[in-house]
Amino acid sequence: MRKPASMRGLENFGRVRLSANFYMRDFLYSEIADFHGIPNVPDDPDLAISAGRQLCQELLEPLQATFGRVAVRGSYRSAAVNGFGNANGMNCARNDTSAAYHIWDRRDGKGRMGAAACIVIPWFADRYAEGADWRGLAWWIHDHLPYSHLQFFPKLAAFNIQWHEKPLRRIDSFIQPRGCLTKPGMPNQTASHAKWYRGFPTLQGV
């Protein structure tokens, strides 16, 4: 597919279905792009679609089947949008770091494909507002889904979730306790975590 170069082309690109419940358009909105007038359009639409399909089919669909609606807070960023956000202190990492993460249409430094989205799960956000520990959801995902990276944020317990060809299996958080919850080599990477998510629904959609 060619890079969309018109409103009609972008409209057609947005209609591409990534999974049973998600379309490309669900992931294209960016406050940075909207406010600053920078088109959030991929240079390599086919790569963006391929990576996005893996993210949706492997991670977002099972989450939605299990917990109900998944709300997308932010996701795909073009290299132009991400680079502008990084240069202007808008919580965007460098483009080389964001490749195969928020920049779906660029492979990482080792040539691997990946894609990430920042999402909220309302089912859990309600419980988090009442005092639930974010680590319950983090460990549930760790034990049930083939994610690469998770990063949690204080507002609404939103989190980045990444699919990658070679999963890193790392969880970080800006919610207390801040920092790295787990990564390969840590003793808790393969320990039992079931006590953290007692009362959670059983995995669906796989």
Side-chain angles (χ1 to χ4, degrees), residues 62-195:
L63 285 172
Q64 184 153 290
T66 302
F67 294 101
R69 179 174 180 259
V70 168
V72 179
R73 285 282 305 118
S75 189
Y76 170 78
R77 298 185 199 128
S78 69
V81 169
N82 193 83
F84 181 89
N86 176 256
N88 290 277
M90 297 176 178
N91 297 319
C92 297
R94 300 188 318 271
N95 279 8
D96 59 334
T97 303
S98 294
Y101 203 91
H102 283 300
I103 306 177
W104 298 7
D105 59 321
R106 284 195 179 178
R107 296 179 182 272
D108 66 16
K110 295 184 178 179
R112 297 187 179 117
M113 179 174 65
C118 182
I119 64 172
V120 170
I121 296 177
W123 181 92
F124 184 75
D126 291 342
R127 288 155 178 79
Y128 173 73
E130 295 172 354
D133 194 311
W134 65 271
R135 289 173 290 183
L137 182 58
W139 285 127
W140 188 96
I141 294 172
H142 181 81
D143 288 352
H144 292 88
L145 297 177
Y147 77 98
S148 178
H149 183 237
L150 302 177
Q151 186 167 42
F152 282 79
F153 304 98
K155 293 182 180 179
L156 303 174
F159 59 99
N160 287 336
I161 182 166
Q162 181 201 27
W163 175 87
H164 192 272
E165 285 188 286
K166 187 173 182 180
L168 181 60
R169 305 289 290 176
R170 175 176 175 136
I171 303 174
D172 295 294
S173 180
F174 289 102
I175 311 173
Q176 295 295 340
R178 294 166 58 100
C180 180
L181 175 64
T182 191
K183 63 181 179 179
M186 291 179 66
N188 63 3
Q189 180 82 179
T190 57
S192 174
H193 312 109
K195 67 179 182 180

